[in-house]
Amino acid sequence: MGEIFSNLLNISVTAVYIILATVLVRTIFRNMPRKYLCLLWGITGLRLALPFSIESAISLIPSRETFTVDPYSGWAVRMNSGVPAVDSAVNGVIVTEESYFGMDGSAAAITSVWDKLACFWLAGTVIILLYGIISYIRVKRSVSTAVLLEGNIMQCETVKSPFILGIFKPKVYIPFDIDEATRNHVIAHENAHISRFDHITKPLSFLVLAVYWFNPFVWLAYILFCRDIEKACDEKVVDSMDGESRKAYATALLQCAAGHRRITASPLAFGEVSVKDRIKSVMNYKKPAF
């Protein structure tokens, strides 16, 4: 298990380069359509999901295997980031197995340490997955009394903010006390999620987050990805709207703003993420130039 954790650690380090590059693009090109940013986040997801690296001579990632664990060599752990100055500084601090463990039994001691770290990682993954599963079950139970309005649209008295639930047969859940104009905007937004397969990609990204929970950059990527998929749907809906229609859509966003900020695999709520920022984006939206 220690070897599995070591491989995941190296994969997560290489993913950090992609995450930082995506954040940089996201910062510089503020007006870039969010659907393209979601594609960039997809590259991060693929790097984290694939158990191997695709090597290239023009790769911007300095090293494919940043941490080398070998209890039978002169070093228990060696850093190989691809930046000589960093490697020299870090490896100079790492204690060799001869000076710390001694030659007898050192391999078993080092292996034991990595196995303990792997068990700690596995426990964290299980806890996060259980949290996601329990959250899903609780939401599913809360809408057990929902009634069909039309198509895949369900109405329920326990729903405070419209959202999507389900992967293979996703349904849109909306409250009863919602006016027709707001309802139309809500349904358009949630159907945009479905057409973009966000009800599938978000649970998958949550699964990746559960595996790499020890990496704070993966948490950052997940949070920004959730924001970008919401804005991508907003842009898809308001693309053909005039100014007055965008105002009505922004009003619907404000009315349906969700009051919680839980990290979950689902649901995709209409006002779930960064409502103030999304309203500004909707009101200032312009069709992007080439």
Side-chain angles (χ1 to χ4, degrees), residues 71 97 101-111:
E97 66 177 34
F101 293 110
M103 291 302 293
D104 295 332
S106 61
I110 295 168
T111 303

Side-chain angles (χ1 to χ4, degrees), residues 143 145-150 153-156 176:
V143 296
T145 58
V147 295
L148 180 66
L149 177 64
E150 59 181 19
I153 313 300
M154 309 290 291
Q155 283 187 308
C156 185
F176 278 106

Side-chain angles (χ1 to χ4, degrees), residues 8-234:
L8 289 175
L9 183 61
N10 280 306
I11 290 174
S12 73
V13 170
T14 58
V16 168
Y17 297 110
I18 305 174
I19 293 171
L20 292 177
T22 304
V23 171
L24 181 63
V25 170
R26 194 176 184 274
T27 303
I28 296 175
F29 302 100
R30 295 180 180 274
N31 295 324
M32 174 185 286
R34 272 351 192 220
K35 62 182 179 181
Y36 299 127
L37 283 176
C38 291
L39 291 177
L40 292 181
W41 289 126
I43 296 175
T44 302
L46 284 175
R47 169 69 288 237
L48 292 168
L50 293 176
F52 56 86
S53 297
I54 301 175
E55 298 185 18
S56 171
I58 60 173
S59 174
L60 298 179
I61 299 176
S63 174
R64 181 172 60 89
E65 191 174 31
T66 304
F67 295 100
T68 303
V69 181
D70 186 3
Y72 300 100
S73 69
W75 294 80
V77 181
R78 177 183 287 274
M79 186 171 186
N80 179 30
S81 67
V83 183
V86 174
D87 295 342
S88 177
V90 174
N91 289 328
V93 178
I94 298 176
V95 182
T96 61
E97 66 177 34
E98 290 90 350
S99 62
Y100 190 79
F101 293 110
M103 291 302 293
D104 295 332
S106 61
I110 295 168
T111 303
S112 176
V113 169
W114 278 93
D115 284 341
K116 289 178 180 178
L117 288 175
C119 290
F120 180 68
W121 156 74
L122 184 60
T125 298
V126 170
I127 290 172
I128 294 175
L129 288 176
L130 284 175
Y131 172 78
I133 293 171
I134 292 172
S135 297
Y136 180 85
I137 293 173
R138 289 180 63 184
V139 173
K140 187 71 175 177
R141 286 180 177 176
S142 70
V143 296
S144 59
T145 58
V147 295
L148 180 66
L149 177 64
E150 59 181 19
N152 65 331
I153 313 300
M154 309 290 291
Q155 283 187 308
C156 185
E157 70 276 3
T158 61
V159 172
K160 304 300 180 184
S161 178
F163 60 84
I164 294 175
L165 192 64
I167 295 178
F168 301 106
K169 293 182 179 181
K171 289 182 171 51
V172 177
Y173 291 87
I174 62 175
F176 278 106
D177 57 342
I178 186 172
D179 60 85
E180 185 176 355
T182 301
R183 183 176 65 195
N184 291 337
H185 290 310
V186 164
I187 292 174
H189 177 91
E190 301 300 348
N191 282 332
H193 272 306
I194 295 174
S195 66
R196 286 171 35 82
F197 300 101
D198 291 337
H199 61 290
I200 298 175
T201 56
K202 187 175 180 181
L204 287 177
S205 63
F206 184 83
L207 181 61
V208 171
L209 176 69
V211 174
Y212 295 94
W213 63 267
F214 55 86
N215 189 331
F217 289 95
V218 176
W219 285 89
L220 174 65
Y222 179 81
I223 292 170
L224 294 180
F225 170 70
C226 289
R227 292 181 180 180
D228 287 339
I229 61 176
E230 291 299 331
K231 285 189 176 182
C233 286
D234 291 336

